[in-house]
C-alpha cells in the first residue's frame, strides 16, 4: 500500500527556515519522480521542487537558491529545506510521488504537471510572517 506521511511546516518569520519531511512507504522499486507541490488559487497545484530517481532536482523560479529538495533512499524519506522564507511562501505544501519507477517523461520543473503524481501526502501548512 502506497503511503506518504508528511511532517513539519508551521510558522516562521521572514528570513527564517523551516523543514518539511515526507515518509514514503509501499514503493518496492522506488519512484521515478517525487516532489513538493503547493496550492495555487484557481490553478491547482504548482510544483515547488521535484527530484527524480537519479537524484536530479529542479525548482520553480521563485524558490531557487532558497529551497533544497533531497531524498534519503535508504530511509525512504523526502525532504524540503526552506531557507530565507518570505511571506509569499505562505501556502499548503504537499509531498507527492509517481507510482511508476520507470517514468518515460521529464521529471523537471517548470514542465512537470501535478497530475503526473499518483500519490499524495496530506497538506502541511507553512505560514511566513513579515
Amino acid at each position: 500500500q502506497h503511503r506518504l506521511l508528511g511532517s513539519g511546516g508551521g510558522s516562521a518569520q521572514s528570513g527564517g527556515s523551516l523543514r518539511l519531511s515526507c515518509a514514503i512507504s509501499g514503493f518496492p522499486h522506488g519512484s521515478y519522480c517525487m516532489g513538493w507541490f503547493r496550492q495555487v488559487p484557481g490553478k491547482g497545484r504548482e510544483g515547488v521542487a521535484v527530484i527524480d530517481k537519479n537524484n536530479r532536482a529542479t525548482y520553480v523560479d521563485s524558490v531557487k537558491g532558497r529551497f533544497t529538495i533531497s531524498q534519503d533512499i535508504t530511509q525512504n524519506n523526502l525532504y524540503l529545506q526552506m531557507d530565507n522564507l518570505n511571506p509569499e511562501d505562505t501556502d499548503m505544501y504537499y509531498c507527492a510521488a509517481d507510482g511508476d519507477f520507470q517514468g518515460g517523461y521529464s521529471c523537471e520543473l517548470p514542465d512537470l504537471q501535478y497530475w503526473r503524481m499518483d500519490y499524495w501526502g496530506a497538506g502541511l501548512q507553512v505560514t511566513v510572517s513579515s
Side-chain angles (χ1 to χ4, degrees):
Q1 181 178 0
H2 301 87
R3 185 177 182 185
L4 281 71
L5 183 62
S7 61
S11 299
Q13 290 194 328
S14 186
S17 298
L18 288 171
R19 181 178 172 90
L20 305 182
S21 300
C22 185
I24 300 172
S25 59
F27 293 79
H29 303 292
S31 172
Y32 169 72
C33 183
M34 299 186 294
W36 294 93
F37 294 73
R38 61 190 177 192
Q39 196 71 35
V40 179
K43 292 188 177 182
R45 292 180 181 177
E46 169 192 59
V48 176
V50 299
I51 190 166
D52 70 12
K53 65 180 182 180
N54 296 314
N55 220 33
R56 181 173 54 207
T58 55
Y59 302 86
V60 68
D61 284 346
S62 61
V63 308
K64 285 180 181 177
R66 301 188 298 118
F67 290 12
T68 303
I69 187 173
S70 61
Q71 57 182 332
D72 182 339
I73 295 175
T74 60
Q75 298 295 324
N76 295 320
N77 287 324
L78 182 70
Y79 303 102
L80 184 67
Q81 179 65 38
M82 311 165 73
D83 297 321
N84 195 18
L85 286 160
N86 60 59
E88 287 71 36
D89 297 318
T90 295
D91 212 320
M92 191 75 77
Y93 288 75
Y94 302 84
C95 60
D98 181 356
D100 183 14
F101 67 95
Q102 292 184 326
Y105 60 92
S106 174
C107 176
E108 293 184 0
L109 294 173
D111 296 329
L112 180 69
Q113 298 299 307
Y114 72 92
W115 47 261
R116 286 285 190 183
M117 302 293 102
D118 297 311
Y119 301 98
W120 295 82
L124 302 172
Q125 180 64 43
V126 170
T127 302
V128 184
S129 58
S130 58

